[in-house]
Amino acid sequence: MKLAGFLLMPAGWIIALAALVLLPSSASRTVFVLAGIGVELLGLFIVVRAHAISDRTQQR
Amino acid sequence: MNPSSGPVLSGSTAALCFCCILLMPCALGGLGLINAGLGRSRNVAHSLLSTICITASAALTYFFVGFAWQGYLGSQSHVWVVQGKLWSWIGSERFLLRGIDFDTSSYSLSVMFGMFAVGLAAVIPLGAAAERWRLSASCASTALFAGITYPLFAHWAWGGGWLAQVGTNYRLGRGFIDSGGAGSIHSVGGLTALGIAWILGPRHGKYQANGMPVAMPAHNAPFVLLGCILAWVGFLGLDCAGSVLFLGTEANRGTLVVINATLAAASAVLSGVCITRLRFGKADASLCANAWVAGLAASAGGCAVIRPAGAVVIGIVAGLLVMFSVEWLELRFKVDDPGGAISVHGLGGLWGVLGAGLFARSSPMANSQYQWLAQVVGIATLLGFVLPAAYGSNWLLNKVISQRVGLQAERQGLDLDELGTGAYPEFMIHNEEY
């Protein structure tokens, strides 16, 4: 889970960069950059959850 | 200012910029005092010595390779050509600061600025890793930070890199704005702090078997609050110097920079006082101190380009974010951050980067309405590159040398274990809480 989260973060970044380079119109560029941020936040959430669960397991 | 080269400074502007840079070590001292005061008394000397050693390690690494890879506006860099646009991704200056005249040019001043800035950013993770981070590991981790993560992002934002160029290349306002280091210093440091806190895990005794956190209160509130004042002075100097060097702000606009930074810190701390008073019945000194620094961190993004009213809004939101983020990290996400570095610098810095785009005064240039999108691309870079890079490099380092001290050392206190003597030798410590 942790690895998946850490892979999603750069994936979101690449989506944002690709939107800048490939999309000509400002509207579609905005949507895809925000989508990239969404993917990154999903990855961050997964990593945060994975760490919280593993720390809790170690406490026990 | 020509966006492809640094500003040409008059004698008085260079002198003012030099003096502002000289104030930056005050911020280092302030952060050191805050971290030491927020920790337990058994780790004070270790915390302050770590601050000095981390700064030293950062400065030396920056001298060896950091500045060469960071570069400055208009200096040499490695460039990719992507669909006809130039993407400068890493500086290619000479190692060991060779070939620099060390005069009062903006180029030379940027080297001096960078040496303090990298130390400041490198000290931020110490707040989150306090009381369990080996001195040797903190120096090694700092070398990775000052040699890889920091110079790359600083080049992109401050050294004429691709983030700074998104304005000219893709018509996103002026490109990524970061006048005082909300992204390059605070966010980079704060996200690295998150990565290190994950790798180290919580302090021994911080969480009970049922997952509830145990309070480990700050041992010295005067340290913390005096540290806030000292950090204020240092960050004012940093904001002014950064605005002149990286945004080409006129020296006489320094008053706006100082006023904005102060207003943001003031509104952040007062929002912190109100929230803690409403929730707990009394103002909480350590949380309010964190809110003050978060206001300074958040204002650093756009202090040279926003109006004072915008700075007040940025400060209020920064204060609120810190209040809830500290609690969420500790209670829900089990991240043990004794100094609040992740919330204050990481989240505060990210909000400052976004706030600079939302509240920047519109300029006559075309597409200034997309300034916020340039800032969002910067945030995407911080979350998508800096955080994984910081975590990955520290994860690898942890495989080579264990970054965390042993259980006995943690119980005994790092002052005795790693330094051989306590900071307060006249006091005997018996409980976990102190």
Side-chain angles (χ1 to χ4, degrees), chain B residues 137-154:
Chain B
S138 65
C139 292
S141 171
T142 298
L144 291 175
F145 176 84
I148 302 170
T149 328
Y150 175 86
L152 275 178
F153 191 82

Side-chain angles (χ1 to χ4, degrees), chain B residues 398-415:
Chain B
N398 199 42
K399 297 289 174 195
V400 180
I401 52 168
S402 175
Q403 297 209 45
R404 184 170 180 147
V405 297
L407 179 59
Q408 185 57 31
E410 211 176 322
R411 281 192 173 140
Q412 191 178 31
L414 302 190
D415 285 357

Side-chain angles (χ1 to χ4, degrees), chain A residues 6 13 21 26 29 40 48 59, chain B residues 83 170 207 333 370 380-381:
Chain A
F6 271 116
W13 181 44
V21 174
S26 299
R29 195 181 271 171
E40 289 182 349
V48 165
Q59 295 283 327
Chain B
Q83 292 201 331
Y170 301 103
Y207 290 99
F333 301 133
Y370 286 109
T381 307

Side-chain angles (χ1 to χ4, degrees), chain B residues 203-430:
Chain B
R203 287 169 290 177
H204 172 74
K206 177 65 189 173
Y207 290 99
Q208 297 168 350
N210 61 4
M212 288 303 290
V214 174
M216 292 181 172
H219 94 281
N220 195 325
F223 269 21
V224 178
L225 297 171
L226 283 173
C228 287
I229 304 294
L230 207 54
W232 177 32
V233 175
F235 284 126
L236 290 182
L238 189 156
D239 291 345
C240 288
S243 302
V244 171
L245 290 174
F246 304 117
L247 285 187
T249 306
E250 297 291 328
N252 57 12
R253 303 286 290 179
T255 48
L256 177 70
V257 174
V258 169
I259 286 169
N260 279 342
T262 305
L263 283 175
S267 42
V269 74
L270 288 182
S271 68
V273 168
C274 293
I275 290 288
T276 51
R277 212 180 152 87
L278 280 172
R279 296 187 70 197
F280 312 126
K282 290 178 180 171
D284 183 297
S286 60
L287 277 175
C288 293
N290 275 341
W292 172 265
V293 183
L296 290 170
S299 68
C303 51
V305 294
I306 56 176
R307 293 184 191 283
V312 170
V313 177
I314 286 175
I316 290 171
V317 175
L320 295 177
L321 281 175
V322 164
M323 291 299 121
F324 294 104
S325 161
V326 164
E327 189 176 312
W328 273 49
L329 278 174
E330 182 171 304
L331 277 176
R332 290 175 183 251
F333 301 133
K334 313 296 180 203
V335 177
D336 185 15
D337 179 6
I342 301 164
S343 305
V344 169
H345 299 279
L347 198 58
L350 287 175
W351 161 239
V353 168
L354 181 63
L358 296 177
F359 296 99
R361 286 168 297 159
S362 57
S363 63
M365 67 194 298
N367 288 300
S368 62
Q369 74 267 29
Y370 286 109
Q371 182 62 54
W372 70 273
L373 194 57
Q375 303 301 106
V376 170
V377 172
I379 292 172
T381 307
L382 286 161
L383 291 176
F385 170 76
V386 172
L387 178 56
Y391 183 87
S393 57
N394 279 287
W395 182 82
L396 283 175
L397 178 66
N398 199 42
K399 297 289 174 195
V400 180
I401 52 168
S402 175
Q403 297 209 45
R404 184 170 180 147
V405 297
L407 179 59
Q408 185 57 31
E410 211 176 322
R411 281 192 173 140
Q412 191 178 31
L414 302 190
D415 285 357
L416 282 177
D417 185 74
E418 288 219 297
L419 308 184
T421 179
Y424 308 108
E426 67 272 30
F427 296 130
M428 292 294 287
I429 299 163
H430 298 289

Side-chain angles (χ1 to χ4, degrees), chain B residues 62 64-80 87-98 100 107 110 146-163 165 385:
Chain B
Y62 192 75
F64 282 116
V65 297
F67 181 75
W69 287 336
Q70 177 184 336
Y72 185 55
L73 295 165
S75 64
Q76 293 183 341
S77 62
H78 294 289
V79 173
W80 284 329
W87 279 51
S88 171
W89 66 280
I90 189 169
S92 60
E93 295 290 294
R94 298 170 72 185
F95 292 136
L96 308 174
L97 300 182
R98 283 175 299 162
I100 298 175
Y107 183 85
S110 80
I148 302 170
T149 328
Y150 175 86
L152 275 178
F153 191 82
H155 174 72
W156 298 342
W158 283 342
W162 66 269
L163 259 179
Q165 291 169 335
F385 170 76

